[in-house]
Every structure is written in C-alpha cells, then in structure tokens.
Amino acid sequence: MSAEALALLAALFAAHFLGDFTPLASARMQEAKAKGAPLGPIATHAAVHAALVAAAVAAIAAPAMGLLAAVVALEFASHLALDWARGRLGARRPAMGDPSRQAFWTAVGLDQLGHALVLLVIVALVL
C-alpha cells in the first residue's frame, strides 16, 4: 500500500471517529440511530460523515469532481443504510439494543466493520 493510500485511510478513519464519537453526532442523532427512527436525524448523521469524507478525500487525493461526488454518495448511502439497519435490529431484538448484552457489542462491531470496509472501498476507488 502506498504512503498516499495509508494517509488517506488514516484520514478517513479519523473522519469516521469525528463523525461518530464527538459532538458532531448529536444526542438526537444517537437516539435515532439506536432505534432506527426517525430517519431524518440518521440522514443528517450520514450527511456529516459524507462531508467529512469529502474533506479528507479532497485534501489528500484531489480527485475529479465526478469521482468525489460518487464517493460522497457512496459514503452517505452506506452510512445511512448501516446505521438504520443496526437501529432497526436493536429495536426489534432487545438483546441487540442492550449494551449489557453480547449481542449489542457484536452488532456494534459488525456496524463498524461495515463502515471500515466502505472506507477501504473509497481508498481503492480514489487511488
């Protein structure tokens, strides 16, 4: 893997951290993600991630605008789908929504793995 690819991947992971684990993920977004509803705050959360990904990709790789737009769309759609699905599963299966249960942590881990795989795809597409 090239130094540029490693730098981009590190920037994307940092962007993901900022979008999920700082005040950029508001209490309303977190509550909606936990239930998988309402969709508006989850979409806003996905838009925050898409903006952070756009900034990281533009700063490090400077792709053509069409490719940058495709990457932003991929991040938005995948982040929305993954967070909505995990929330809906947690709402339907109480063990998956309960942080004291192993099923919750397995669901969180799978969610984070899904996001990480999308970020790897973005690196592959851009570089």
Side-chain angles (χ1 to χ4, degrees), residues 12-39:
L12 290 172
F13 284 151
H16 185 79
F17 167 79
L18 291 172
D20 267 0
F21 302 105
T22 71
L24 292 175
S26 70
R28 182 161 162 71
M29 291 175 192
Q30 295 291 356
E31 291 167 12
K33 284 175 42 180
K35 295 183 244 175
L39 198 55

Side-chain angles (χ1 to χ4, degrees), residues 9-127:
L9 188 57
L12 290 172
F13 284 151
H16 185 79
F17 167 79
L18 291 172
D20 267 0
F21 302 105
T22 71
L24 292 175
S26 70
R28 182 161 162 71
M29 291 175 192
Q30 295 291 356
E31 291 167 12
K33 284 175 42 180
K35 295 183 244 175
L39 198 55
I42 303 170
T44 302
H45 174 71
V48 167
H49 276 274
L52 291 167
V53 163
V57 169
I60 293 173
M65 288 303 293
L67 180 55
L68 183 60
V71 163
V72 168
L74 171 63
E75 176 62 18
F76 175 80
S78 65
H79 210 96
L80 178 64
L82 286 166
D83 285 359
W84 174 81
R86 185 171 67 92
R88 294 310 304 150
L89 281 171
R92 291 184 184 147
R93 295 188 166 66
M96 293 181 82
D98 180 356
S100 71
R101 306 281 300 272
Q102 180 59 47
F104 172 85
W105 295 106
T106 300
V108 168
L110 287 171
D111 171 74
Q112 293 301 302
L113 175 62
H115 293 307
L117 292 174
V118 170
L119 298 179
L120 286 171
V121 167
I122 288 171
V123 171
L125 289 172
V126 170
L127 300 178

